[in-house]
Amino acid sequence: MTNPNIPLGSVIQGSLSQGLEVRLHPDVSVEDMRVGKFLVVQGVRSRFFCLLTDVTLGTASARILTNPPDPSDDFLLEVLAGNGTFGTIEISPMLMFTPGEGNGVGENGSKKDSSLASFEVQSSADLQLLPVKTIPSHFSQVYDASEADFRAVFGWEDDPTRRNFAIGQPLDMDVPICLDLDRFVERSNGVFGKSGTGKSFLTRLLISGIIRKKAAVNLMFDMHSEYGWEAVSEGKQFSTVKGLRQLFPGQVEIYTLDPEATKRRGVRDAQELYLSYDQIEIEDLRLVGHELNLSEASLDNANILASEFGKSWIVQLLNMTNEEIQLFCEEKQGHKGSIMALQRKLMRLDSLKYIRSVCPHNYIDQILQSLDAGKHVVVEFGSQSNMLSYMLATNMITRRIHKSYVQKADQFLRSKNPQDRPQPLVITIEEAHRFLDSSIVHQTIFGTIAREMRKYFVTLLVVDQRPSGIDNEVMSQVGTRITCLLNDDKDIDAIFTGVSGGQSLRSVLAKLDSKQQALVLGHAVPMPVVVRTRAYDSQFYEEIGETSWEEKSDEEVFAAAEAAKADLGF
Ligand SMILES: Nc1ncnc2c1ncn2[C@@H]1O[C@H](COP(=O)(O)OP(=O)(O)OP(=O)(O)O)[C@@H](O)[C@H]1O
Ligand SMILES: [Mg+2]
């Protein structure tokens, strides 16, 4: 169907702000024009790269509508097609390329007919694609994008001058669409989509790419234990896919808050991770205030306790009798009711498996050392995956790691020595709206990281099914947004926060397939594009993984499947 040399239609009207209207040629079926398709318009001087955003049926005369032809009258249908009845498409121009303007391609590109053939890309350095500043003139011809067009815009994976990673393919062609990973890790990013659309798979793909291309080190807070080791894939038959430690055994380390569950799943050499009360700060409690049902008054009193007892205040509080609390309140102006409520509510922390009163070994420092050594760390939660645990542990660990990065970045700024330059760190969090909700975003470390961007070489990869819950200011800092299907209007609006021309892309997003399709837009791609997500399968393991796919015995496959089923409560 796609032949990039046959024109599909002519530009008939439009504007830079609203997009272009294209009337399809009679022999082109509207049914082939799918929203999200990548098209090019050959203008007189420039070539425009566009995204198809809408399809419409048109008729030349109202009489045809009032008196439609008999569907069996092929002859009349044929006579009308193209003149009386026609299809139109709306396209949004995103990028333009003008031969001769600082580009390595000669002036011959400026002639309407010869330019198509002359559009050949030798290397990415040849081309300068610019944001659209104008539109093609009347009746410019519209074509399917060719492989060369895709290469020109999205590059290719083995380009030695860039760290490109192929994230998928366009809807109707077999060419890779690449993300520029250096640009990707420069800002915080998001993977969005409703449940079951492929967010976790996309995240695994992206992180594999980052590891493979050495674009950054990763710290992943793996709420559902699906990134580090073996994850279940939905489908008719029960099957699993490899985790990152299996793909990159020498580079990924798993830490677990629930060693038993992790061992049960057959994970080899995961490291235990314990946190202690003295590592919990008031800020951490504020973040889980909702989960623990803490009042503002309790938190105020927590401050009084902390300033009196120092780091060990929680342990001391948990051991206080009512009389001691009474005494404390008389001396230090605390509020007895609030402190007792605080004590009662903090008792809940005692039930968390990984929290210790005191912990001789500092596990967070150990994680930091792993990251410093260039290892990627996945923190598994096992049975401790409730919101309270996830938010508490994630915040505690991230706060310390961020602090160390701030020091390292300052050191680098002072010395300007390239060896002091910290390796970029990407922190992956799930259910991100819980951390980045407007009401708490100003108090959490995640809000800080999202807002300060790459200043300290730390960025976030947020994975979320409810982007409308994320604070607007944070959302507008999200550099690259990879979005699977979303239905809720508010969520769709959130995706386009701070994106100019976002309105025309709404229809593209709302019409994605429910699985393995995504709209990619932002910092790491030159223009918005719809991709069929790259399959995360044995072929991918072979292309990207550290070792090639090793064969497992049937027993091993069966045992792993049983363990995974048991963990999921099948
Ligand atoms: N790139 C891919 N390669 C192979 N299979 C995929 C891919 N993307 C999605 N799938 C299929 O879609 C299913 C759902 O994907 P996934 O688990 O990533 O959804 P999700 O968006 O993370 O859902 P939830 O919000 O419930 O966590 C997978 O189990 C898998 O079968
Ligand atoms: Mg998921």
Side-chain angles (χ1 to χ4, degrees), residues 193-202 204-205 224 226-227 232-235 241 430 463 465 484 515-517 533-537:
K194 60 180 201 166
S195 182
T197 48
K199 295 185 297 299
S200 302
F201 273 65
L202 256 170
R204 242 186 320 252
L205 281 169
H224 305 294
E226 55 184 352
Y227 296 124
V232 178
S233 172
E234 285 171 14
V241 293
E430 303 233 27
V463 183
Q465 42 177 303
C484 304
K515 263 199 182 81
Q516 249 175 297
Q517 267 191 15
T533 315
R534 187 165 179 176
Y536 187 82
D537 55 11

Side-chain angles (χ1 to χ4, degrees), residues 320 322-332 336:
M320 273 163 114
N322 284 358
E323 291 72 45
E324 283 167 336
I325 293 180
Q326 170 86 33
L327 213 63
F328 178 84
C329 290
E330 280 162 15
E331 276 174 25
K332 309 287 173 204
K336 189 176 169 204

